[in-house]
Amino acid sequence: MALTQAFLAFGLPIIIFLGAGLGGYKIISLIVPSKPNPVKLSRFEAGNIPTGEGRLWFPLQYYGYLLVYTTLEPLIVFLFLVASASYSGNLILFRNLVAVVGTFIVVLYPILNYAIKQINIVLNWELRR
């Protein structure tokens, strides 16, 4: 009985949601015409069809900062959760929390190191003329 209730509570809504999404996609793809032509397939820049080579190279100057954010944000959220735990008087719980936080730091350190190196690369900040 418990497995049936779990399926009805969690599995059935997921199946209904995915089925409704797939059904809606199929219905819309039947209604909307899909005749490709050169104008539909061409790229546009600011509403105009581009001509020639692009003027500027798109710099990835904030890529390193994005990596730092995505590396540190889960760790900070996890540290807030650890800080709210009441481990006073329970040495085993405190030891386990320190082990988990240490593992997080060891796993995320190479990513953070790579991100900081990406920030310091000057070539990502220059525009090609």
Side-chain angles (χ1 to χ4, degrees):
M1 184 70 177
L3 186 60
T4 305
Q5 289 176 345
F7 175 72
L8 289 175
F10 296 107
L12 191 60
I14 291 172
I15 291 173
I16 291 172
F17 179 73
L18 291 176
L22 182 63
Y25 174 75
K26 289 294 184 183
I27 289 172
I28 289 174
S29 66
L30 291 175
I31 294 172
V32 176
S34 62
K35 297 177 184 175
N37 59 30
V39 175
K40 279 187 177 180
L41 297 177
S42 63
R43 295 181 8 190
F44 288 88
E45 287 184 9
N48 299 317
I49 298 175
T51 58
E53 187 179 344
R55 289 186 288 172
L56 295 176
W57 170 65
F58 181 70
L60 296 175
Q61 64 190 27
Y62 299 113
Y63 175 68
Y65 294 108
L66 176 70
L67 284 176
V68 169
Y69 175 74
T70 57
T71 302
L72 290 181
E73 192 265 338
L75 180 62
I76 298 299
V77 169
F78 187 74
L79 288 177
F80 277 123
L81 293 173
V82 167
S84 67
S86 64
Y87 51 82
S88 60
N90 192 347
L91 189 61
I92 295 173
L93 179 60
F94 179 72
R95 182 196 64 194
N96 292 342
L97 289 174
V98 168
V100 169
V101 170
T103 304
F104 254 82
I105 291 171
V106 166
V107 167
L108 294 177
Y109 179 76
I111 301 169
L112 183 61
N113 189 22
Y114 174 74
I116 291 172
K117 285 183 181 178
Q118 288 295 314
I119 291 171
N120 292 329
I121 294 176
V122 179
L123 293 176
N124 289 341
W125 293 81
E126 295 177 354
L127 295 176
R128 187 179 67 178
R129 299 271 178 211

